[in-house]
Amino acid sequence: MRPNSQALKHKLSHDSEREFGGTLGAVCIPIFLPLTVLFLISLSRSPEASLFQWPPPLPSADQLWDPLAPVLLLGWFALHAVIYLMPLGKVSEGLVLRDGTRLKYPINGFHGLCIGGVFLMLLLGLGAPLGYLFELLLPLAVCAIAVSFLFSIYLYIRSFWAPSHALALGGNTGNPLYDFFIGRELNPRIGDFDLKYFCELRPGLIGWVVINLGMLMKEVELRGSPSLAMILVNSFQLLYVADALWNEEAVLTTMDIVHDGFGFMLVFGDLAWVPFTYGLQAAFLVVHPQALSSLKAAAIIALNGIGYYIFRQSNSQKNQFRRDPTHPSVTRLETIATATGKRLLVSGWWGLVRHPNYFGDLLMALAWSLPCGFSHLLPYFYVIYFTILLIHREARDERQCRAKYGLAWDTYCRRVPYRIFPYIY
């Protein structure tokens, strides 16, 4: 039978538009990013903590392994898998899939944060040395990296039993290296247990908060009490994680869930990159304590508050418009009609810049680094990396929206010329 020409053309267009450097990126990123995680952790613990130190501080083999690390890591995953399956919170539907169905998701991630917090408080009350997480950072990262590779191999193999409509449009190119990296299956599930959704906001994101708390407790062991800088870093990042989990339902409309397959890129990002690089500031402060005046602390708190307000308000406006464009809170906003039947917001937060949520996110990222002072570049790794990531993600959004909305998107771009930074970019 002769294949449908339109379908063939559609597939070829996806094959030619590969993300993250195509095959070269799919080979290099899984090699260099895990090494980067280990390098950054080693650097944060070294006295110099210099990104330009040569030779760089390399960990010895015995620093990379501790038999307690895999037990803690797998136990942590198991705890959150159990919470995921518990009848807590509501059940929400995702967006319509290509076959016309909608998957159901348990909205109980915030319960997982609270239950995990109670569990940690009990451990602290029983005298558990949570500060030992500082010594376990490297072994835990090694285990998380190993789990990411093994899990990604499993996902790639099982994707060949998935029906064609269940595959991600950009992850079924026929190139095994690229497809392994980007992810072939869109929503891999074991029964009703959605593997991508579980990893997106559960073990890694909440694990980031736990690691931060471990760094705070290590500082208490070393100096008798936590510093103001450490308290700010822990508080800001806890707020960020708690907000993500409180608004967990919003993740169902994000690019990660709706568009990207579940492969090494997301697996490694969720389970290794986020918990072990996003909290570098706390690990840095253990070895490099910083004095922070009340005035400086107030300014940093204000910056984080402004960033959080922009981030939360713009995201809430977008999510409300996507889910119910007839809601009173968004009906007063000006929109542009598109050929798809959907409308684009051109007023409110989304009339200021195309991605006001990214702008708020970056203001918060800067506030997380400022408590670490200006003597080292390392604590600013996250805000530098995150700026590059969001500019890249904005470019991906731009390509997809232009292909989807055509002339309507051109009209929107003329109305809203700035992408992330008002009057700058």
Side-chain angles (χ1 to χ4, degrees):
M1 182 182 293
R2 186 171 178 267
N4 180 279
S5 60
Q6 284 297 107
L8 182 59
K9 181 180 177 182
H10 183 69
K11 182 181 186 304
L12 288 173
S13 69
H14 281 285
D15 284 350
S16 61
E17 297 174 5
R18 296 181 184 175
E19 304 282 355
F20 301 96
T23 303
L24 181 62
V27 172
C28 294
I29 292 174
I31 295 173
F32 288 107
L33 281 194
L35 293 176
T36 300
V37 171
L38 301 180
F39 169 71
L40 291 171
I41 294 174
S42 300
L43 205 60
S44 69
R45 297 154 56 98
S46 69
E48 294 80 8
S50 172
L51 286 168
F52 307 106
Q53 179 182 345
W54 190 262
L58 299 177
S60 59
D62 62 318
Q63 291 178 305
L64 295 174
W65 175 250
D66 188 308
L68 182 59
V71 174
L72 290 177
L73 192 74
L74 295 177
W76 181 250
F77 289 169
L79 170 66
H80 284 283
V82 170
I83 296 171
Y84 178 99
L85 294 170
M86 292 172 66
L88 299 171
K90 66 177 182 178
V91 175
S92 184
E93 289 187 332
L95 299 183
V96 178
L97 300 175
R98 292 203 303 275
D99 65 349
T101 62
R102 299 175 69 164
L103 297 174
K104 294 183 177 181
Y105 300 86
I107 308 299
N108 59 11
F110 192 78
H111 295 80
L113 176 66
C114 295
I115 293 171
V118 170
F119 182 67
L120 287 172
M121 292 304 106
L122 288 174
L123 288 177
L124 286 172
L126 294 172
L130 197 61
Y132 189 59
L133 283 175
F134 180 74
E135 280 74 24
L136 282 177
L137 270 183
L138 278 171
L140 283 170
V142 168
C143 291
I145 291 166
V147 168
S148 298
F149 275 102
L150 293 173
F151 190 28
S152 300
I153 292 169
Y154 161 75
L155 290 168
Y156 179 73
I157 293 172
R158 64 161 276 157
S159 70
F160 289 96
W161 279 266
S164 59
H165 65 76
L167 301 179
L169 288 177
N172 187 27
T173 67
N175 182 319
L177 292 173
Y178 181 78
D179 292 348
F180 167 81
F181 169 74
I182 209 73
R184 293 188 81 244
E185 194 171 356
L186 184 62
N187 301 294
R189 289 189 161 208
I190 299 176
D192 291 330
F193 193 100
D194 193 289
L195 298 171
K196 179 166 70 170
Y197 175 70
F198 170 74
C199 292
E200 185 78 9
L201 292 181
R202 309 293 179 112
L205 203 68
I206 302 174
W208 167 21
V209 172
V210 175
I211 290 171
N212 277 356
L213 180 59
M215 301 306 103
L216 184 148
M217 295 308 299
K218 184 64 178 181
E219 195 175 57
V220 171
E221 290 178 17
L222 294 173
R223 303 180 186 100
S225 63
S227 65
L228 179 56
M230 180 69 83
I231 291 171
L232 289 185
V233 168
N234 269 257
S235 300
F236 292 162
Q237 296 181 356
L238 173 60
L239 171 65
Y240 189 79
V241 171
D243 175 87
L245 293 165
W246 182 261
N247 297 282
E248 183 180 18
E249 192 172 9
V251 80
L252 301 181
T253 62
T254 61
M255 182 183 291
D256 286 358
I257 298 296
V258 174
H259 175 268
D260 293 334
F262 196 37
F264 181 84
M265 178 186 73
L266 286 181
V267 172
F268 175 79
D270 292 340
L271 303 184
W273 185 259
V274 168
F276 293 102
T277 66
Y278 281 25
L280 278 175
Q281 297 92 346
F284 171 85
L285 288 171
V286 172
V287 181
H288 308 88
Q290 302 290 318
L292 199 61
S293 68
S294 299
L295 182 60
K296 289 180 180 178
I300 294 170
I301 291 170
L303 177 64
N304 191 77
I306 293 169
Y308 176 72
Y309 180 79
I310 296 171
F311 172 80
R312 174 47 37 221
Q313 290 297 313
S314 58
N315 269 329
S316 296
Q317 191 175 78
K318 175 189 67 176
N319 294 328
Q320 185 62 64
F321 183 74
R322 281 180 173 176
R323 288 199 166 273
D324 182 12
T326 63
H327 193 273
S329 65
V330 291
T331 51
R332 58 184 174 79
L333 298 176
E334 187 180 353
T335 61
I336 293 175
T338 72
T340 65
K342 295 184 178 181
R343 304 186 71 87
L344 299 173
L345 282 173
V346 289
S347 66
W349 288 104
W350 300 86
L352 298 175
V353 290
R354 297 178 207 170
H355 294 278
N357 52 339
Y358 290 1
F359 179 59
D361 222 339
L362 289 170
L363 291 180
M364 286 189 288
L366 179 60
W368 301 352
S369 301
L370 288 173
C372 300
F374 299 102
S375 60
H376 293 78
L377 183 61
L378 179 66
Y380 293 85
F381 169 82
Y382 173 75
V383 67
I384 295 169
Y385 147 78
F386 204 50
T387 300
I388 297 169
L389 174 73
L390 290 184
I391 290 174
H392 176 264
R393 175 166 284 204
E394 188 279 332
R396 294 180 73 198
D397 290 341
E398 179 80 13
R399 288 194 299 271
Q400 291 181 20
C401 288
R402 192 171 299 280
K404 185 176 182 180
Y405 300 120
L407 293 176
W409 185 252
D410 293 333
T411 302
Y412 171 71
C413 291
R414 287 193 294 271
R415 290 284 301 273
V416 187
Y418 298 104
R419 299 177 180 225
I420 299 176
F421 304 99
Y423 305 103
I424 298 174
Y425 174 77

